[in-house]
Amino acid sequence: MTDLTGKTCVVTGAARGIGAAIARRLADDGAHVVATDKNGPGVEALARDLGCDWARLDIEIEADWTEFAKRHRTIDVLVNNAGITGFEEGAIAHDPEKASLQDWRAVHRVNLDGTFLGCRYAIGAMRAKGAGSIINISSRSGLVGIPAAAAYASSKAAIRNHTKTVALYCAEQGLSIRCNSVHPGAILTPMWEPMLGDGPDRAARMAAFTADTPMQRFGTVEEVAAVVAMLASDEAAYMTGTELNIDGGLLAGSAATPTRG
């Protein structure tokens, strides 16, 4: 376990999935966690379970960040986790030819604008101490092209690059504010459930979705949270502007199917 005692850590998109696991892990490691989400009842329920603070925060709305900043003026860690795929309301066209400008912008408003606003807030909230850790959750999709999810891939790639810009800016300012990105691959979260189902063919569907992953399985939200906890801690004090992949080896170069026997 990492030691985050005395650190105030803000996590966006904490009502469920990866965000909830991150909030739980940081709390377990001794941090004072402020869990946020635009789903107020959902994040309040998590906060009751963890015994931490919570706030309703829609990351794409600048006024929400302004109000949040008034109540949380000084922090040590911000995890920009909240994001969308663009398919939350069902299967719609998100390829480069048929995607609408409205749908393209909607994904970027949440994923990219939300991360920009979060980073801007965090720099100001960490400047008094001159130190802190900003952790941006990007995606494997931010490192490769995704033909059927152009806006998602574009937004996550932009988060990767903005992370490096923030890291360099803070160093240039003489601040020990670190900024790193995390790139999960196929992580088993509620987002996958509609595709996996709960019938007798669930295992076969899971195997099909991870067939190209060398480790031949989904990752877990706890595995992502463990990497975030490390980046949040002082053990990662010399890491900034870097990216960490959590993808079961998918981006290592080529698929490597284990030999069975």
Side-chain angles (χ1 to χ4, degrees), residues 107-160:
V107 172
H108 282 81
R109 275 199 308 273
V110 176
N111 295 355
L112 183 53
D113 293 359
T115 297
F116 159 72
L117 290 169
C119 289
R120 190 178 70 177
Y121 154 73
I123 295 170
M126 295 173 182
R127 184 175 283 278
K129 293 183 179 181
S133 176
I134 302 170
I135 303 157
N136 295 329
I137 305 300
S138 180
S139 170
R140 173 196 78 99
S141 301
L143 299 169
V144 297
I146 307 293
Y152 181 74
S154 171
S155 67
K156 290 297 186 177
I159 288 171
R160 170 184 178 265

Side-chain angles (χ1 to χ4, degrees), residues 2 11 14 61 74 85 89 109 128 146-147 185 189 195 206 227 253 260:
T2 49
V11 183
I61 299 178
T74 304
T85 62
E89 302 303 322
R109 275 199 308 273
I146 307 293
T189 64
M195 291 175 280
M206 292 182 72
V227 172
R260 311 292 184 184

Side-chain angles (χ1 to χ4, degrees), residues 46-65:
L46 174 82
R48 282 199 305 268
D49 184 38
L50 298 184
C52 70
D53 290 339
W54 69 277
R56 187 190 180 283
L57 174 65
D58 189 339
I59 62 166
E60 66 178 295
I61 299 178
E62 185 173 17
D64 275 22
W65 281 107

Side-chain angles (χ1 to χ4, degrees), residues 4 22-33 50 52:
L4 299 176
I22 291 171
R24 187 176 300 279
R25 174 59 189 263
L26 300 185
D28 286 345
D29 287 355
H32 168 219
V33 173
L50 298 184
C52 70

